[in-house]
């Protein structure tokens, strides 16, 4: 299990305001949880806390029963992979080289890639439909192409837990769906647990087992899409009148904004 226990966090620059305010949430193996909320509600901060990249001022994160605060970066990387949109490309690595950096947690010596690591990296690129970029430099890829390479790097880590920050934000419709299908399949088959930040309410409604809604650092609703995605909850959180009906095949909620507003 990945357990966030009563986390509170504020940035040092801004101690007067709790960016994350007493948030608890558990993610189980095989579960896909979508984290939704307006800009600035604390979603990315919560992901960084879950990954052990930020330390909460109170509360704790447990991954596979171990406090994240007690683990080394390498130990964490064997269990959790995080994909963030803000990755700055400092070195013009090729996509394959970049995905291979995801293997570092498993490789005994730095700078040595085994045939097995190469095979895993190439397979990960294939799974995200990015193998054709293997020899291209990642700073020369489009944002959507780079996102697929970033997801491939996370898969190459072979983690138990995937933390994805707006993984489909720049992807075309077909790739948005294929990326989420892939994570869904990994949850079903390999029992990976995933926490996915997204602004796409409809994608979240279709693919998530559970939806968490964050507002001003507080968790204001959590549950299955059919229970959480209601007109009153969403209109309150996004301050926008929202209409909801059902997907004709899955029966899951389908969301629209009001056309006269
Ligand atoms: P979200 O991902 O939901 O859009 P963030 O977690 O990125 O929100 O940010 C939550 C709040 O914390 C915002 O008000 C943002 O301005 C602030 N914030 C984010 N990063 C920092 C930082 N490094 N230092 C100070 N404040 C930050
Ligand atoms: Mg964010």
């Amino acid at each position: 299990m990945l357990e966030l226990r009563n986390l509170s966090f504020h940035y040092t620059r801004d101690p007067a305001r709790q960016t994350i305010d007493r948030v608890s949430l558990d993610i189980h193996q095989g579960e896909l949880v979508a984290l939704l909320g307006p800009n600035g509600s604390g979603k990315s901060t919560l992901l960084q806390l879950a990954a052990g990249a930020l330390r909460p001022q109170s509360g704790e994160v447990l991954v596979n029963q171990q406090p994240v605060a007690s683990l080394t970066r390498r130990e964490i990387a064997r269990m959790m992979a995080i994909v963030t949109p803000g990755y700055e490309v400092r070195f013009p690595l090729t996509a394959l080289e970049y995905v291979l950096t995801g293997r570092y947690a498993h490789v005994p010596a730095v700078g040595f890639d085994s045939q097995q690591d190469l095979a895993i990296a190439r397979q990960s690129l294939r799974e995200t439909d990015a193998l054709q970029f293997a020899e291209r430099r990642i700073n020369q890829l489009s944002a959507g192409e780079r996102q697929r390479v970033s997801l491939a790097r996370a898969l190459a880590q072979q983690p138990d837990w995937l933390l994805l920050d707006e993984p489909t934000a720049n992807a075309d419709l077909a790739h948005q769906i294929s990326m989420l299908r892939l994570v869904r399949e990994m949850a079903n088959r390999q029992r990976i647990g995933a926490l996915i930040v997204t602004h796409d309410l409809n994608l979240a409604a279709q693919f998530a087992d559970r939806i968490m809604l964050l507002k001003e650092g507080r968790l204001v609703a959590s549950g299955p899409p059919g229970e959480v995605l209601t007109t009153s909850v969403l209109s309150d959180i996004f301050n926008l009148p929202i209409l909801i009906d059902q997907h004709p095949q899955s029966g899951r909620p389908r969301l629209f904004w009001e056309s006269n507003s």
Side-chain angles (χ1 to χ4, degrees):
M1 203 147 86
L2 177 59
E3 304 169 67
L4 279 55
R5 288 193 181 160
N6 206 22
L7 298 184
S8 288
F9 175 83
H10 59 79
Y11 287 100
T12 41
R13 254 179 40 200
D14 195 8
R17 197 175 64 99
Q18 293 288 28
T19 304
I20 296 297
D21 193 1
R22 290 162 288 170
V23 169
S24 294
L25 94 91
D26 295 341
I27 304 173
H28 298 88
Q29 286 189 303
E31 197 180 26
L32 205 158
V33 177
L35 182 61
L36 311 178
N39 292 143
S41 54
K43 304 180 297 297
S44 296
T45 304
L46 194 61
L47 240 57
Q48 298 292 335
L49 288 165
L54 290 173
R55 292 285 148 90
Q57 277 89 20
S58 65
E60 69 172 346
V61 176
L62 300 176
V63 56
N64 303 346
Q65 281 91 50
Q66 293 168 283
V68 157
S70 72
L71 301 171
T72 64
R73 303 287 328 145
R74 211 173 145 98
E75 288 169 330
I76 293 172
R78 268 184 235 137
M79 293 189 256
M80 278 196 273
I82 182 164
V83 175
T84 58
Y87 174 70
E88 294 292 329
V89 184
R90 288 185 206 92
F91 305 104
L93 298 178
T94 66
L96 182 61
E97 287 166 342
Y98 179 59
V99 172
L100 275 168
T101 65
R103 297 295 305 153
Y104 86 96
H106 299 278
V107 177
V110 178
F112 179 77
D113 302 314
S114 70
Q115 286 303 311
Q116 194 203 358
D117 292 316
L118 262 174
I120 290 168
R122 293 179 65 83
Q123 176 59 22
S124 302
L125 281 165
R126 195 174 293 118
E127 285 182 77
T128 64
D129 189 29
L131 189 57
Q132 66 271 36
F133 310 131
E135 305 306 328
R136 298 262 306 272
R137 304 208 173 279
I138 49 176
N139 56 345
Q140 292 168 5
L141 296 175
S142 80
E145 292 166 347
R146 202 155 52 232
Q147 278 186 317
R148 275 142 63 198
V149 173
S150 297
L151 181 60
R153 181 185 185 275
L155 302 188
Q157 266 176 260
Q158 299 183 316
D160 300 327
W161 309 98
L162 270 178
L163 306 172
L164 307 176
D165 199 346
E166 302 188 32
T168 59
N170 298 295
D172 62 59
L173 183 59
H175 284 110
Q176 288 172 23
I177 293 164
S178 62
M179 284 165 94
L180 280 175
R181 276 201 182 128
L182 176 63
V183 177
R184 181 72 267 174
E185 270 175 34
M186 297 183 74
N188 294 349
R189 290 203 197 136
Q190 297 165 37
R191 311 304 296 157
I192 280 180
L195 181 60
I196 305 184
V197 172
T198 178
H199 289 296
D200 193 320
L201 303 175
N202 282 309
L203 276 184
Q206 275 302 306
F207 288 99
D209 298 305
R210 232 166 0 124
I211 304 246
M212 304 276 173
L213 287 174
L214 207 58
K215 184 184 186 183
E216 294 169 5
R218 288 191 205 102
L219 211 50
V220 291
S222 98
E227 285 174 25
V228 168
L229 298 175
T230 63
T231 320
S232 61
V233 170
L234 291 173
S235 302
D236 172 44
I237 287 180
F238 293 103
N239 219 347
L240 181 77
I242 301 222
L243 296 175
I244 301 178
D245 68 358
Q246 287 187 340
H247 187 285
Q249 291 170 312
S250 69
R252 293 194 175 213
R254 189 169 64 164
L255 294 87
F256 305 86
W257 62 97
E258 277 187 12
S259 57
N260 61 352
S261 56

